[in-house]
Amino acid sequence: MLFYKKMESPIGGLTLVADENSLKRVLFMDEVLNVKAEAREDNKILNQALDELNEYFNGNLKEFKVKTDPDGTKFQKKCWDVLKTIEYGSTISYEDEAISLGDKKKTRACGNANSRNPIPIIIPCHRVIGKDGNLTGYAGGLHIKKYLLDLEREHYDL
């Protein structure tokens, strides 16, 4: 059974989706919850994710602890695992991500996997940028990617 909870954030409304054991999705305000889920106020995973996201947006949290279990292919999960290693306030290129997986030729595949990351912000795909330093692609929009990177740079030394 899946449960959801909505929250307001500086980047707009977010919908958090979890089962009893882990966070499954974070949806941006214009994304549709296309799975059967029930609203739940007492789900410990949803409450932990909401608290951590609020702390993150306040600049007080640099590493998420909430348990995640995103649905995806084996390759996508490997890409998302790389994302979890990118330190707060830092960025890597899509090429760097592919190289860390052992094959520079998988740069585009990494970008595609990142675009399907079901738990953005917490699994920080916003920290992956173009090789030339430009912001490229983000499911929530480049303005949100820029906001998140600026937020982290502002609070990096705290």
Side-chain angles (χ1 to χ4, degrees), residues 75-102:
F75 178 75
Q76 288 171 333
K77 289 180 179 189
K78 285 181 181 180
C79 290
W80 302 335
D81 285 343
V82 170
L83 300 177
K84 294 177 193 176
T85 68
I86 307 169
E87 291 185 23
Y88 181 94
S90 300
T91 59
I92 65 170
S93 71
Y94 294 95
E95 183 177 287
D96 294 334
E97 183 179 8
I99 290 169
S100 73
L101 291 172

Side-chain angles (χ1 to χ4, degrees), residues 7 16-18 23 25-26 43-56 61 64 66-67 122:
M7 70 174 285
L16 313 177
V17 181
L23 189 66
R25 300 211 44 152
V26 173
N43 180 284
K44 67 180 182 181
I45 298 294
L46 291 174
N47 290 332
Q48 180 182 356
L50 184 132
D51 290 345
E52 289 184 9
L53 282 164
N54 280 325
E55 287 298 306
Y56 171 82
L61 183 101
F64 290 95
V66 66
K67 183 177 178 194
I122 292 171

Side-chain angles (χ1 to χ4, degrees), residues 18 21 25 43 54 90 112-113 132 155 158:
N21 303 308
R25 300 211 44 152
N43 180 284
N54 280 325
S90 300
N112 287 333
D132 61 2
H155 296 283
L158 300 179

Side-chain angles (χ1 to χ4, degrees), residues 4-17 23-34 53 56-57 64 83 113-127 136-149 151-152:
Y4 75 91
K5 188 172 202 168
K6 295 183 180 284
M7 70 174 285
E8 285 303 315
S9 78
I11 59 171
L14 299 173
T15 302
L16 313 177
V17 181
L23 189 66
K24 304 296 279 182
R25 300 211 44 152
V26 173
L27 302 167
F28 294 110
M29 66 183 139
D30 58 349
E31 291 181 282
V32 176
L33 179 61
N34 60 359
L53 282 164
Y56 171 82
F57 286 119
F64 290 95
L83 300 177
N114 292 355
S115 73
R116 290 173 175 77
N117 172 13
I119 309 176
I121 307 166
I122 292 171
I123 299 178
C125 52
H126 62 276
R127 295 180 187 154
T136 58
Y138 192 66
L142 288 181
H143 65 290
I144 291 177
K145 185 172 192 167
K146 180 179 181 333
Y147 178 89
L148 297 172
L149 292 172
L151 173 75
E152 291 183 10

